Amino acid sequence: MSSKIHHHPPSPLQRLSLSLFVFVELFHLTRADVGTAAQYSPPYLPTECYGSDSSQFPASNLFAAAGEGIWDNGASCGRQYLVRCISATTPGTCIQGQTIQIRIVDHATKPASADGTTMVLSKTAFGTIANATAVSMNIEFQL
């Protein structure tokens, strides 16, 4: 008894279906927004989200104040975002391959550098993904 399995190459329709599936999956996995980030220094208290409660800050000190675009009337308090630097006016500002998870703890109305920025990062958060001497950067962020 001979049992041969015949293998036929995929049809153009099968190839197209597979290509669409891969594209949709890749698109689905990379739903991020683009914005800008600045940095601010202590004192970080009080905040609009949690007042003077120092337990609001993650142990990593990776936190931020939300700009108007993501503030959502305070609903952004406690949200966590994955953030990475994608570019800046000064070449070499971004630390390539670095992504951080930050927690929103404040509204970005205090720092003067926050005008129009998406988020204002703590000094630690900013310095983890970009050259700490930079003033601002373009970021990619997602929930």
Side-chain angles (χ1 to χ4, degrees):
M1 286 183 105
S2 172
S3 62
K4 290 185 179 178
I5 298 174
H6 296 285
H7 181 8
H8 298 285
S11 71
L13 182 58
Q14 288 172 320
R15 281 191 209 134
L16 178 62
S17 296
L18 180 61
S19 295
L20 281 172
F21 173 76
V22 169
F23 176 76
V24 168
E25 284 303 304
L26 287 174
F27 179 75
H28 172 73
L29 294 174
T30 57
R31 281 193 200 145
D33 289 309
V34 174
T36 56
Q39 63 177 311
Y40 69 124
S41 304
Y44 296 118
L45 292 173
T47 67
E48 279 195 50
C49 292
Y50 306 103
S52 294
D53 181 3
S54 61
S55 70
Q56 67 185 295
F57 303 112
S60 64
N61 283 321
L62 301 177
F63 58 88
E68 288 305 320
I70 61 171
W71 175 240
D72 200 13
N73 292 320
S76 65
C77 290
R79 282 187 190 150
Q80 295 190 45
Y81 289 95
L82 292 175
V83 181
R84 73 181 184 98
C85 178
I86 54 174
S87 67
T89 359
T90 307
T93 295
C94 296
I95 299 173
Q96 297 304 314
Q98 277 290 80
T99 300
I100 57 173
Q101 184 173 26
I102 59 96
R103 180 176 184 211
I104 298 297
V105 298
D106 205 354
H107 187 195
T109 56
K110 299 172 194 169
S113 62
D115 292 340
T117 57
T118 307
M119 58 182 71
V120 183
L121 303 172
S122 66
K123 281 188 87 56
T124 302
F126 193 97
T128 302
I129 60 172
N131 182 329
T133 61
V135 175
S136 67
M137 65 179 139
N138 296 313
I139 57 168
E140 182 179 75
F141 64 100
Q142 64 185 3
L143 282 173

